[in-house]
């Protein structure tokens, strides 16, 4: 998240015009603040901001009959995201029946997902990279990291009678899912979301074929790490834990790695509590992966907006699902010697007994030639 909330508001006001920007959607006036949060898991100012942002994007989008106002369509979509179903109270208030609401949700998901270029931002400028890396180091002690990388699994229903299709959706924890690749910062803001693949997909395959993976490995983001779990290969730009720690420094490094990696687990738990549609994304054959990808990306956009407005998620109900342990290849993958040396240098300089914060940064750590 590169911009502070006042900047967002200023840009929004410029785009909408001063008169439109401050007008709250009339449909919201029928509900008090507590009812709004119960139905949408968002606050009134946050919903008004989302509605105005969608209105900009909706100028060239036609909703299917019966036509709805933008604020009514947003309410239908937000209510579905919050609960995984459309509540009778919202549908009665704004008009569409259950069948029409599905078309509205599909359209709004595509529109909100298209807002990712505004509300999901990977650090690009030097100052932004420095700030993100400094916050991560403050949390766990690992320097030169631009984010935390993990596969995000979302449950779906798949028919066990269609054996081949069913198998492709079964993930490492044994249930059927689709999986996306997410990068977040130390505060739980989403910096990147890509892909929507069947649950059995290898994390490394997603990373290798993703835009962000190619950018990082081609040195387009400079000498920085992304912190990834055991399902990824150690590389010059993906920092994984040590599989079998041989000394105290490596053990301390693994503890630090686990600490920052847990930020992703907490973030995904928070997002799934706020947007319960992500707890069950329907049937494998119900719609294409692209449509499921739109819902996942739309919820990611809304997650970042909710954080900017400091909207708390609903209370925890049960345990937060653990991060997936990663799908391991049956044949061991050779470790990149340069990457292994860089990780050892990082551990020596920052996690060994002799390490001090005054030590100069190693060029090997920074991915530079000595």
């Amino acid at each position: 998240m590169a911009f502070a909330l006042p900047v967002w508001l200023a840009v929004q006001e410029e785009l909408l015009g001063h008169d439109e920007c401050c007008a709250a959607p009339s449909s919201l006036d029928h509900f008090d603040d507590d009812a709004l949060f119960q139905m949408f898991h968002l606050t009134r100012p946050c919903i008004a901001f989302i509605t105005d942002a969608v209105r900009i994007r909706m100028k060239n989008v036609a909703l299917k009959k019966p036509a709805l106002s933008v604020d009514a369509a947003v309410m239908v979509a937000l209510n579905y995201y919050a609960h995984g179903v459309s509540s009778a109270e919202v549908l009665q208030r704004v008009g569409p029946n259950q069948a029409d609401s599905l078309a509205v949700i599909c359209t709004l998901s595509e529109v909100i997902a298209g807002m990712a270029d505004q509300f999901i931002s990977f650090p690009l400028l030097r100052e932004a990279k420095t700030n993100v890396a400094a916050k991560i180091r403050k949390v766990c002690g690992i320097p030169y990291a631009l984010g935390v990388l993990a596969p995000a699994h979302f449950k779906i229903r798949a028919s066990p009678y269609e054996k081949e299709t069913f198998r492709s959706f079964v993930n490492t924890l044994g249930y059927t899912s689709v999986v996306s690749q997410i990068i977040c910062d130390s505060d739980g803001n989403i910096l990147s979301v890509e892909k929507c693949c069947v649950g059995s997909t290898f994390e490394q395959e997603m990373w290798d074929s993703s835009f962000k993976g190619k950018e990082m490995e081609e040195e387009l983001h400079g000498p920085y790490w992304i912190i990834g779990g055991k399902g990824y290969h150690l590389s010059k730009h993906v920092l994984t834990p040590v599989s079998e720690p041989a000394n105290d420094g490596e053990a301390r490094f693994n503890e630090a790695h686990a600490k920052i990696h847990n930020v992703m687990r907490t973030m995904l738990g928070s997002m799934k509590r706020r947007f319960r549609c992500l707890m069950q994304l329907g049937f494998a054959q119900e719609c294409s992966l692209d449509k499921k990808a739109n819902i996942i990306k739309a919820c990611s956009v809304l997650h970042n907006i909710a954080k900017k407005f400091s909207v708390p998620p609903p209370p925890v109900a049960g345990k937060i699902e653990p991060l997936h342990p990663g799908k391991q290849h049956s044949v061991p993958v050779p470790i990149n010697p340069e990457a292994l040396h860089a990780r050892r240098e990082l551990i020596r300089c920052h996690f060994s007994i002799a390490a001090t914060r005054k030590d100069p940064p190693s060029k090997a750590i920074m991915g530079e030639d000595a």
Side-chain angles (χ1 to χ4, degrees):
M1 302 297 289
F3 304 112
L5 179 58
V7 177
W8 283 20
L9 296 173
V11 172
Q12 182 199 31
E13 185 173 356
E14 182 67 25
L15 289 171
L16 287 171
H18 296 279
D19 295 332
E20 259 188 290
C21 179
C22 298
S26 58
S27 297
L28 298 183
D29 297 338
H30 297 293
F31 305 100
D32 63 28
D33 290 347
D34 289 339
L36 280 179
F37 191 83
Q38 289 297 320
M39 285 187 291
F40 307 111
H41 296 163
L42 298 167
T43 58
R44 189 181 303 274
C46 185
I47 296 171
F49 179 90
I50 292 165
T51 303
D52 286 339
V54 169
R55 185 175 288 113
I56 298 169
R57 295 273 179 155
M58 289 289 288
K59 289 181 179 178
N60 298 318
V61 176
L63 285 174
K64 294 182 178 180
K65 298 292 183 179
L68 290 179
S69 64
V70 170
D71 61 298
V74 169
M75 289 178 67
V76 170
L78 294 184
N79 180 239
Y80 167 76
Y81 298 148
H83 298 283
V85 294
S86 298
S87 70
E89 184 177 4
V90 170
L91 294 181
Q92 289 171 2
R93 180 71 64 182
V94 300
N97 58 36
Q98 192 71 36
D100 291 329
S101 71
L102 294 176
V104 171
I105 292 164
C106 183
T107 300
L108 265 290
S109 295
E110 185 175 358
V111 170
I112 297 173
M115 291 159 50
D117 59 348
Q118 288 178 286
F119 300 110
I120 297 178
S121 58
F122 195 78
L124 298 176
L125 300 178
R126 178 180 295 180
E127 182 180 1
K129 292 177 181 179
T130 301
N131 288 340
V132 170
K135 287 183 177 181
I136 289 176
R137 183 170 184 173
K138 185 175 181 179
V139 170
C140 66
I142 297 176
Y144 321 121
L146 289 184
V148 183
L149 169 69
H153 284 261
F154 305 99
K155 291 181 180 179
I156 61 161
R157 296 186 181 95
S159 172
Y161 298 105
E162 299 179 16
K163 293 184 179 179
E164 292 306 314
T165 300
F166 181 82
R167 286 195 193 99
S168 69
F169 283 97
V170 176
N171 63 31
T172 50
L173 293 184
Y175 63 82
T176 50
S177 69
V178 293
V179 56
S180 292
Q181 174 183 287
I182 290 183
I183 300 173
C184 75
D185 65 14
S186 59
D187 294 321
N189 296 302
I190 295 175
L191 305 178
S192 173
V193 56
E194 290 188 55
K195 303 286 186 177
C196 183
C197 305
V198 296
S200 63
T201 306
F202 285 93
E203 292 91 320
Q204 186 63 39
E205 292 175 2
M206 286 198 295
W207 175 252
D208 290 339
S209 62
S210 70
F211 291 113
K212 203 57 62 186
K214 291 176 181 177
E215 288 175 0
M216 289 295 297
E217 299 300 347
E218 291 173 6
E219 306 279 349
L220 298 184
H221 291 283
Y224 287 94
W225 299 98
I226 293 291
I227 297 173
K230 294 179 180 179
Y232 298 94
H233 302 162
L234 177 66
S235 72
K236 288 178 65 179
H237 296 284
V238 176
L239 184 62
T240 60
V242 178
S243 58
E244 296 181 3
N247 53 56
D248 290 344
E250 291 181 349
R252 279 192 290 271
F253 166 76
N254 275 7
E255 290 174 2
H257 190 286
K259 183 176 183 180
I260 190 63
H261 214 243
N262 194 53
V263 170
M264 176 67 77
R265 172 177 171 269
T266 302
M267 185 279 292
L268 288 175
S270 172
M271 189 163 75
K272 288 180 180 180
R273 293 204 311 278
R274 189 187 305 281
F275 306 116
R276 290 177 184 159
C277 68
L278 298 176
M279 301 292 286
Q280 178 51 258
L281 277 175
F283 287 91
Q285 297 82 9
E286 188 175 274
C287 57
S288 69
L289 289 180
D290 287 342
K291 291 181 179 179
K292 295 187 188 303
N294 282 338
I295 293 176
I296 294 167
K297 186 169 282 189
C299 290
S300 299
V301 167
L302 298 174
H303 165 84
N304 279 0
I305 293 175
K307 284 188 67 65
K308 280 296 181 185
F309 279 83
S310 300
V311 183
V316 176
K319 294 182 179 179
I320 298 177
E321 180 181 319
L323 286 178
H324 287 250
K327 187 175 181 181
Q328 304 295 318
H329 288 273
S330 56
V331 179
V333 178
I335 298 177
N336 181 326
E338 186 179 357
L340 183 60
H341 175 66
R343 186 176 67 184
R344 285 173 176 167
E345 280 293 289
L346 185 150
I347 293 171
R348 181 185 67 80
C349 291
H350 298 277
F351 293 94
S352 66
I353 295 175
T356 67
R357 292 188 178 274
K358 294 182 180 180
D359 284 346
S362 165
K363 290 183 179 180
I365 295 173
M366 296 297 290
E368 299 172 354
D369 295 330

